[in-house]
């Protein structure tokens, strides 16, 4: 909004040597931000190479070393963003949904108090949003499915853990710089740091393993798999979640287990594998 002063904030921005490399400095300068740039010199061959949202740890370390207020790592085509708090805690797309959903609700622009995620959205986020009287609606993996459901429901917020977030009242396309602008606005509007807005980690430990397969029969038709799933779900009860699905691009069966305790997630995952 006009008149919002961001000159007292410092930012580390990893541009992934990609599409946002020239735009990010223009945006941050216009906002008056104190900004340190990483990987902002694309050659056409160094896009995403050990940098950007696929490797946000370098950005988070720079935030700590520079004493910056926050950091952002964009991806090569600029549609995703992963953040770091001033304390170096990495915040993925689930964290963005958590921070943004409560802000949009407080502003009266979260229609139906609904947020759209995917089957990969962390169960801990779903429970945390529920305590805020916000319902998480899940779709298959893919931003096109998220957008389709958002448009169907009239939702204003949706996204994926990868950092692909859609603010449909502003744009129907994921945009890492737009996500950055929203996070900055929330920080300035609330007067809170990003670590305060994020709060204590609410996400469940998540274990993902892949099993190579030669054929892909419907999982419900394989009795031994169904029996294993029943046993695992009984072990987890309401303390976690299991997702088993075939990859859409590789001959793999993907097994994801979330649980309140990391040890339990590993145990259940190992049994299923």
């Amino acid at each position: 909004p006009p008149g919002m002063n961001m000159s007292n904030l410092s930012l580390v921005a990893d541009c992934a040597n990609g599409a946002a490399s020239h735009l990010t400095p223009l945006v941050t300068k216009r906002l008056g931000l104190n900004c340190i740039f990483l990987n902002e010199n694309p050659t056409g061959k160094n896009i995403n190479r050990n940098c950007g949202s696929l490797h946000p740890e370098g950005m988070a370390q720079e935030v700590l070393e520079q004493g910056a207020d926050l950091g952002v790592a964009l991806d090569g085509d600029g549609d995703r963003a992963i953040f770091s708090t001033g304390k170096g805690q990495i915040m993925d797309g689930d964290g963005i949904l958590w921070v943004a959903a409560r802000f949009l609700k407080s502003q009266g622009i979260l229609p139906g108090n609904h947020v759209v995620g995917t089957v990969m959205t962390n169960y801990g986020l779903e429970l945390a949003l529920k305590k805020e009287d916000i319902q998480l609606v899940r779709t298959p993996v893919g931003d096109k499915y998220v957008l389709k459901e958002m448009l169907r429901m009239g939702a204003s917020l949706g996204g994926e853990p990868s950092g692909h977030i859609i603010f449909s009242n502003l744009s129907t396309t994921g945009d890492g710089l737009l996500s950055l602008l929203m996070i900055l606005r929330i920080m300035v509007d609330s007067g809170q740091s990003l670590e305060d807005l994020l709060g204590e980690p609410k996400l469940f430990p998540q274990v993902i393993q892949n099993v190579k397969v030669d054929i892909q029969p419907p999982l419900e038709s394989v009795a031994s798999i169904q029996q294993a799933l029943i046993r695992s779900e009984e072990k987890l009860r309401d303390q976690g979640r299991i997702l088993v699905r075939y990859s859409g691009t590789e001959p793999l069966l993907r097994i994801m287990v979330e649980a309140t305790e990391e040890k339990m997630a590993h145990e259940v995952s190992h049994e299923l594998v």
Side-chain angles (χ1 to χ4, degrees):
M4 186 168 279
N5 184 9
M6 298 185 182
S7 61
N8 63 331
L9 289 176
S10 55
L11 168 74
V12 172
D14 184 341
C15 302
N17 292 315
S21 296
H22 301 300
L23 291 172
T24 306
L26 295 175
V27 171
T28 55
K29 182 178 179 181
R30 183 171 177 177
L31 295 173
L33 282 166
N34 299 303
C35 194
I36 297 165
F37 299 103
L38 305 175
N39 304 300
E40 80 281 22
N41 296 302
T43 64
K45 296 181 179 180
N46 59 355
I47 264 186
N48 289 327
R49 184 183 293 169
N50 300 318
C51 61
S53 63
L54 296 175
H55 304 276
E57 58 280 353
M59 170 271 296
Q61 183 60 37
E62 190 71 18
V63 168
L64 285 174
E65 292 178 2
Q66 299 293 335
D69 294 301
L70 76 160
V72 64
L74 305 164
D75 70 332
D77 62 356
D79 64 354
R80 289 187 286 166
I82 299 292
F83 289 84
S84 168
T85 71
K87 294 182 178 179
Q89 180 182 350
I90 291 175
M91 186 176 90
D92 66 4
D94 285 348
I96 301 171
L97 290 181
W98 168 244
V99 171
R102 290 177 297 157
F103 173 76
L104 294 177
K105 182 186 176 187
S106 72
Q107 299 293 304
I109 47 177
L110 190 70
N113 288 346
H114 289 130
V115 172
V116 178
T118 75
V119 292
M120 296 301 292
T121 301
N122 195 283
Y123 186 49
L125 173 62
E126 182 176 352
L127 295 180
L129 288 173
K130 189 174 182 180
K131 291 180 180 178
E132 300 286 333
D133 194 30
I134 299 172
Q135 181 184 358
L136 177 73
V137 178
R138 295 180 184 271
T139 73
V141 173
D143 55 282
K144 66 178 182 180
Y145 298 112
V146 172
L147 177 60
K148 182 178 179 180
E149 184 64 17
M150 290 177 69
L151 295 176
R152 187 190 72 80
M153 296 182 62
S156 62
L157 176 65
E160 301 183 273
S162 63
H164 193 287
I165 307 297
I166 299 173
F167 300 94
S168 65
N169 58 323
L170 300 173
S171 172
T172 54
T173 303
D175 185 331
L177 283 176
L178 186 58
S179 294
L180 171 62
L181 291 172
M182 284 296 297
I183 291 297
L184 288 169
R185 179 189 172 183
I186 294 169
M187 289 176 64
V188 173
D189 191 78
S190 66
Q192 292 182 282
S193 66
L194 188 53
E195 48 262 34
D196 288 338
L197 289 166
L198 184 60
E200 291 298 316
K202 298 174 175 63
L203 303 184
F204 282 25
Q206 186 181 86
V207 176
I208 300 175
Q209 296 193 74
N210 296 320
V211 179
K212 289 186 178 181
V213 294
D214 295 320
I215 57 174
Q216 297 186 2
L219 292 175
E220 58 272 17
S221 71
V222 185
S224 58
I225 290 180
Q226 292 306 305
Q227 291 165 5
L229 285 170
I230 290 171
R231 288 196 302 271
S232 296
E233 287 168 353
E234 287 176 348
K235 180 177 286 189
L236 284 176
R237 296 184 182 179
D238 59 348
Q239 301 301 306
R241 187 172 68 99
I242 300 169
L243 176 66
V244 180
R245 67 184 182 91
Y246 292 116
S247 167
T249 56
E250 302 174 271
L252 298 173
L253 182 66
R254 302 198 190 280
I255 298 172
M256 185 205 73
V257 179
E258 293 174 341
T260 53
E261 301 294 333
E262 187 170 0
K263 181 180 178 182
M264 175 65 76
H266 279 286
E267 286 178 0
V268 171
S269 178
H270 178 71
E271 291 172 7
L272 286 171
V273 168

